[in-house]
Amino acid sequence: MKIIADSGSTKTKFALVEGGAVEYVHTDGINPYYQGVEDIVSTLKVQLLPKIAEPENVNYIEFYGAGCGPADKIAIVRDALQSVFLYAAIIVSSDLLGAAKALCGVEAGIACILGTGSNSCYYDGEKIVQNVSPLGYILGDEGSGAVLGKLLVADILKKQAPKTVRDKFFAKYSYTSADIIDRVYRKPFPNRFLASFAPFLSENIDVTYCHSLVYDSLKSFIERNLRQYPAGLPVHFTGSVAYYFRTILEEAMTALGLKLGKIVREPIELLV
């Protein structure tokens, strides 16, 4: 059996490939910036292994994951996988390379991820040749679910969002201001927590405030990242934010004169 995985900070999708059959399994996200070997092993054993009848028959794994750029972070994920799948040859690469392979194939293009986090690269058809560092949701990650949630929550708590939006927010979520601050500053995975508010923006996208917040953040992603790559290439996107806000993404791309390519919710099927 072969396993191909596409992992973000919020969820991981595993494709279990055997013969001509493919089965998909979802687990929590895996990101070595937030998790050590033991944490990842726990996720694998609890959420993935019960779906595999004979783990010892897994002989090859390709894992594309968020945070899997630096060698030390790749080693964390590889060590975790190897401790669970003892007999498998394992390749760990960045989720960005997985997205580029899926979106561009063997053609040159710009590949982008807009999910819990955001990232982008210039891909020459074989490898990533240029990458503007995303810098994470505090310093960068423009257009990501975490940043959209951060902007929304900040405006809600500082009463910068319209009262109607604030009322809808507190009617939908039971969090107090203290709860939110605790989750962001003291609990693990604040990026996941903040990204969980992105669906609220989607549900209320007809409200001018919500539309403008999403549009401005996507525009910022384009201006601060995509403008640095060679002009004239198609720009492809994957990720939940790109998929669910694709109409606004198209507006921003058109306004800034960039050539929009594919918008795919998840790259895993194309990788398979």
Side-chain angles (χ1 to χ4, degrees):
M1 174 183 287
K2 296 180 175 64
I3 296 178
I4 299 172
D6 173 58
S7 182
S9 294
T10 298
K11 69 178 185 298
T12 303
K13 190 170 185 179
F14 290 89
L16 313 181
V17 184
E18 191 162 26
V22 182
E23 178 185 356
Y24 293 100
V25 176
H26 288 85
T27 73
D28 290 341
I30 292 171
N31 188 324
Y33 275 95
Y34 301 102
Q35 297 157 286
V37 172
E38 290 184 4
D39 296 323
I40 297 171
V41 167
S42 177
T43 296
L44 295 171
K45 286 185 174 180
V46 172
Q47 300 180 31
L48 178 62
L49 273 189
K51 306 293 185 181
I52 302 174
E54 298 178 316
E56 64 275 10
N57 289 339
V58 175
N59 55 27
Y60 181 78
I61 299 173
E62 277 191 27
F63 186 97
Y64 298 95
C68 296
D72 61 327
K73 303 305 180 187
I74 288 174
I76 290 172
V77 176
R78 185 190 294 115
D79 289 349
L81 288 165
Q82 198 74 74
S83 70
V84 175
F85 300 101
L86 302 177
Y87 308 109
I90 298 170
I91 296 174
V92 177
S93 302
S94 71
D95 58 342
L96 188 58
L97 179 60
K101 285 184 175 182
L103 294 168
C104 301
V106 296
E107 303 294 330
I110 310 300
C112 308
I113 298 172
L114 289 177
T116 300
S118 67
N119 208 344
S120 62
C121 70
Y122 166 40
Y123 180 75
D124 68 359
E126 294 182 0
K127 60 186 180 298
I128 293 173
V129 294
Q130 186 181 355
N131 168 234
V132 177
S133 177
L135 297 180
Y137 73 99
I138 294 176
L139 297 178
D141 270 7
E142 302 86 2
S144 70
V147 167
L148 291 176
K150 179 178 73 171
L151 295 171
L152 172 66
V153 168
D155 280 358
I156 294 289
L157 298 184
K158 285 183 175 285
K159 298 183 178 180
Q160 299 301 298
K163 185 177 184 303
T164 53
V165 173
R166 302 200 310 270
D167 290 344
K168 283 184 179 180
F169 181 89
F170 287 116
K172 181 177 177 67
Y173 303 105
S174 59
Y175 298 116
T176 64
S177 175
D179 292 334
I180 291 171
I181 290 170
D182 185 61
R183 288 291 301 269
V184 170
Y185 290 103
R186 299 184 182 91
K187 296 291 171 60
F189 304 111
N191 57 334
R192 285 187 195 172
F193 174 69
L194 290 169
S196 72
F197 297 114
F200 177 86
L201 290 166
S202 180
E203 293 162 10
N204 295 279
I205 202 64
D206 291 337
V207 177
T208 300
Y209 162 82
C210 295
H211 185 282
S212 296
L213 188 153
V214 174
Y215 179 87
D216 290 345
S217 190
L218 293 175
K219 184 169 175 280
S220 179
F221 172 80
I222 295 167
E223 290 176 334
R224 293 170 64 84
N225 298 277
L226 304 189
R227 289 290 197 195
Q228 300 192 51
Y229 300 122
L233 291 169
V235 183
H236 307 292
F237 291 86
T238 187
S240 55
V241 170
Y243 184 80
Y244 287 109
F245 295 110
R246 56 190 177 277
T247 300
I248 301 177
L249 179 57
E250 289 172 8
E251 290 176 19
M253 291 286 287
T254 299
L256 294 172
L258 275 72
K259 181 181 178 183
L260 181 62
K262 303 184 187 80
I263 299 177
V264 176
R265 183 178 177 184
E266 297 177 330
I268 188 71
E269 291 184 9
L270 293 173
L271 284 171
V272 171

